[in-house]
Amino acid sequence: MNEEQLHVTVDHLQCQGVGYCERVAPRVFRLGDDALSHVIDKHPPESEREAVEEAETLCPSRAIRY
Amino acid sequence: MPTREPTIREMPPPPHIVGLQHFITYAEIDEILRSRSFRQGSHQESQPFFGRSLLTIDGDEHFERRRLEAPLFAKAALEYYEHTELIPLIGKTLEECRDNRGDDGIVRADLCVLLRTMLARIAAATTGIDGVDTPERTTAFREYVEQLGTGATVEWSTEDHDEVIRRILAVRDDFDRDFFASSVARRRALIEQFHQGEIERDELPVDLITMLYLHWNDDWDDGLPIREACLFLVAATQTTTHSVPHLIAHLDEWFETHPEDRARVTDREYIKRAAHEALRLHLPSPALLRIANEDVMLSNGKTIATDERVACLFTPANRDPNVFGPDAGEFNPYREVSSVKPWGLTFGGGEHICIGRTLVTGLSARTDNDEGTDGTLVNIASALYDAGIEIDPDDPPAYTEASHHDAYGRFPILLTKL
Ligand code: HEM
Ligand code: SF4
């Protein structure tokens, strides 16, 4: 596969802390005490791609980019 | 000159929430909605219509259903839907108004009826209901959705509640016969063809009914699809129909004091900002209820006991000066807010936050961005301004008598450029 490497970000101005991202991709996102999602692995392995894509679609605030 | 209703109306709390503990500030409601210590507390009597639908389930079951339905609102789906369905449907519905030209050559319409027609067609497309095409079929479908809406909000009804439920269940049987059953049959046949390898996945329709039958879960009862479809139909139509007249009324009033802005109706970014203000000030769901799973103490020290049902009142929260500034109670398309969404809590918060929001407000934060979509509100309002919408000066809009809500019941308009 020659997919580009993942580069995951969460826009904190958009995030509403619903936490769906953490539930589908717990290796990549963690909901902090500040009620915002934090990216704990900005460049996750290719095996996380599907989970990150699903997190992007599920995110009600469309705060995730990758 | 006939008098206009005030654009901002004071509303008493609806009777079914009297006696519950009320929450009215932005911060406390946001905290309750996001907390895992609460579950859905609305729609207890309306279970025959919404029971076990996305809105009324919680926890893991809710999360799995949300995952299943989220692809309907993926970027590609929204782009397809806006350009292939929404924009042509708006155009078609406006074209049909040309038949109502008066002797003076001007086209007149009731914006409420016009919106209900547009939204019925839009909701049919997202839900997956076929045959909402001719004006007659659209009227029949629209009336079904309105009746189903009455059943789904029976908690608010002033009639005998058991009687309403009985009546609307009979209406739903007719809806099943006239629209739903054949739409389901067509989709199930397509899904079968897909499973047999006769068609590709991307040849299947992108709508709720297809999604449910494609990913059927044996824990569901046979009545689930029609209840889930009712949720989508009611949630999609009543909300947007509520918001657009407020947007038009506010802009009309704003232009009286800011005439220099009148030319900006062709500026989609301006309309988008105005739409956010209309959404913030006039909530289609002014109160949401939640039930505590355990004893809770909020950050501000207020306490809620296990199994206590509480009411979150969005109207005061969305006019909270601590969040939206000293003029929070007024319409201002130039408002700048930081740290919260410009529409405040209008789409709810936490796990049940509106799944359809991106359809309404679009994907892109800005309208001058080629990526993404502008959403139904901007597209409908822009089409109305292109058609030369003016509020009928001789017949001012009026709120509906039937509700405590600030919902318009009639909104006569002229479409001077049609
Ligand atoms: C102006 C437009 C809209 C507004 C203001 C609005 C508002 C809301 C609110 C406040 C909720 C949360 C209810 C709760 O927490 O109890 C909600 C949920 C929901 N909305 Fe919307 N909505 C709008 C448009 C739509 C559209 C266009 C659709 C469908 C295509 C839709 C489908 C839903 C569904 C299915 C839910 C349940 C979500 C869940 O429980 O996870 N809504 N909406
Ligand atoms: S799903 Fe979106 S809104 Fe929710 S926590 Fe994750 S990034 Fe934030």
Side-chain angles (χ1 to χ4, degrees):
Chain A
M1 266 217 262
N2 58 357
E3 299 257 24
E4 268 181 50
Q5 200 199 3
L6 288 162
H7 180 140
V8 185
T9 59
V10 168
D11 179 349
H12 280 178
L13 289 176
Q14 302 292 329
C15 174
Q16 288 170 286
V18 175
Y20 288 145
C21 52
E22 186 184 38
R23 289 179 80 169
V24 284
R27 297 209 184 116
V28 183
F29 304 98
R30 182 159 308 148
L31 206 56
D33 293 337
D34 53 3
L36 293 171
S37 168
H38 295 272
V39 180
I40 47 177
D41 185 354
K42 282 193 173 47
H43 303 291
E46 196 51 36
S47 55
E48 288 293 317
R49 179 176 293 273
E50 222 174 285
V52 171
E53 281 174 2
E54 190 180 5
E56 190 270 336
T57 303
L58 261 176
C59 171
S61 313
R62 315 318 274 247
I64 298 168
R65 294 277 175 277
Y66 61 90
Chain B
M1 188 71 178
T3 51
R4 277 263 294 271
E5 304 247 19
T7 38
I8 301 281
R9 186 189 206 190
E10 294 304 324
M11 288 180 293
H16 74 289
I17 63 166
V18 170
L20 304 184
Q21 185 171 192
H22 288 176
F23 293 92
I24 58 166
T25 72
Y26 193 98
E28 60 193 9
I29 294 180
D30 190 44
E31 186 175 348
I32 291 172
L33 293 181
R34 275 202 278 111
S35 162
R36 296 255 168 96
S37 305
F38 293 88
R39 63 182 183 274
Q40 180 59 272
S42 304
H43 297 286
Q44 301 213 318
E45 279 181 89
S46 46
Q47 290 288 323
F49 303 100
F50 278 180
R52 311 239 55 82
S53 70
L54 181 68
L55 182 63
T56 62
I57 52 182
D58 289 285
D60 290 345
E61 188 185 7
H62 174 265
F63 179 61
E64 288 308 324
R65 188 83 57 83
R66 202 78 199 200
R67 287 179 82 172
L68 190 154
E69 294 175 5
L72 292 173
F73 305 95
K75 187 165 175 282
L78 290 169
E79 282 169 350
Y80 159 82
Y81 165 79
E82 180 152 318
H83 296 113
T84 317
E85 304 277 3
L86 175 70
I87 294 174
L89 283 177
I90 295 172
K92 173 182 156 91
T93 312
L94 279 170
E95 274 306 306
E96 287 167 5
C97 291
R98 285 180 190 274
D99 298 340
N100 299 331
R101 196 177 299 280
D103 294 341
D104 54 1
I106 293 179
V107 174
R108 287 184 167 72
D110 180 343
L111 181 60
C112 294
V113 176
L114 186 61
L115 289 167
R116 289 204 286 262
T117 304
M118 277 182 192
L119 265 300
R121 288 173 171 165
I122 295 167
T126 17
T127 308
I129 307 288
D130 299 329
V132 185
D133 36 35
T134 61
E136 295 72 33
R137 289 278 289 173
T138 307
T139 303
F141 175 74
R142 174 166 74 69
E143 284 168 1
Y144 277 131
V145 176
E146 282 160 24
Q147 298 253 40
L148 292 169
T150 309
T153 52
V154 57
E155 289 82 359
W156 302 66
S157 175
T158 47
E159 293 175 67
D160 178 70
H161 290 193
D162 290 339
E163 169 54 27
V164 173
I165 292 173
R166 199 191 52 71
R167 191 179 76 231
I168 307 295
L169 280 175
V171 169
R172 194 178 68 184
D173 288 343
D174 295 343
F175 167 68
D176 191 5
R177 187 197 58 215
D178 289 351
F179 286 96
F180 191 73
S182 55
S183 305
V184 168
R186 187 171 82 82
R187 282 161 181 75
R188 293 185 76 172
L190 287 169
I191 291 169
E192 186 52 32
Q193 280 180 281
F194 164 63
H195 287 317
Q196 299 299 327
E198 292 162 20
I199 59 171
E200 297 294 321
R201 172 73 176 81
D202 61 10
E203 290 175 77
L204 291 176
V206 184
D207 57 46
L208 176 75
I209 294 179
T210 306
M211 203 62 95
L212 291 177
Y213 283 98
L214 189 61
H215 302 286
W216 184 262
N217 178 333
D218 286 334
D219 293 338
W220 297 342
D221 65 283
D222 291 344
L224 182 86
I226 201 166
R227 295 196 305 276
E228 196 80 9
C230 284
L231 167 65
F232 268 63
L233 293 173
V234 172
T237 49
Q238 297 198 335
T239 47
T240 309
T241 312
H242 181 87
S243 306
V244 176
H246 284 293
L247 168 61
I248 303 293
H250 271 301
L251 277 175
D252 191 66
E253 197 178 65
W254 177 264
F255 293 150
E256 279 169 25
T257 47
H258 302 80
E260 68 285 2
D261 273 14
R262 201 175 283 276
R264 296 199 65 188
V265 293
T266 53
D267 174 353
R268 291 166 80 88
E269 186 59 31
Y270 181 82
I271 297 290
K272 179 169 262 191
R273 285 168 157 271
H276 293 167
E277 279 288 273
L279 283 168
R280 180 179 69 80
L281 291 168
H282 306 280
L283 294 104
S285 337
L288 287 186
L289 310 184
R290 289 293 187 266
I291 299 171
N293 295 324
E294 58 203 352
D295 288 349
V296 181
M297 185 189 279
L298 298 179
S299 324
N300 62 7
K302 289 189 190 172
T303 57
I304 300 153
T306 310
D307 290 333
E308 184 181 337
R309 208 145 76 110
V310 299
C312 301
L313 302 187
F314 286 0
T315 306
N318 265 5
R319 299 176 190 179
D320 187 336
N322 292 324
V323 181
F324 297 100
D327 66 341
E330 286 157 37
F331 173 88
N332 175 6
Y334 295 102
R335 183 177 311 283
E336 294 290 344
V337 286
S338 56
S339 78
V340 301
K341 295 284 184 191
W343 48 79
L345 292 164
T346 296
F347 293 97
E351 298 195 348
H352 286 285
I353 194 166
C354 180
I355 198 172
R357 197 268 302 168
T358 42
L359 270 178
V360 181
T361 62
L363 266 184
S364 47
R366 296 174 58 87
T367 44
D368 55 3
N369 181 345
D370 279 349
E371 285 235 323
T373 57
D374 289 344
T376 35
L377 282 187
V378 167
N379 277 297
I380 292 177
S382 296
L384 288 168
Y385 283 110
D386 286 347
I389 186 173
E390 286 175 21
I391 298 178
D392 190 336
D394 302 320
D395 193 2
Y399 289 122
T400 170
E401 296 286 308
S403 148
H404 295 277
H405 231 155
D406 61 352
Y408 283 103
R410 52 192 302 280
F411 201 106
I413 53 167
L414 317 178
L415 294 166
T416 59
K417 294 188 192 154
L418 269 192

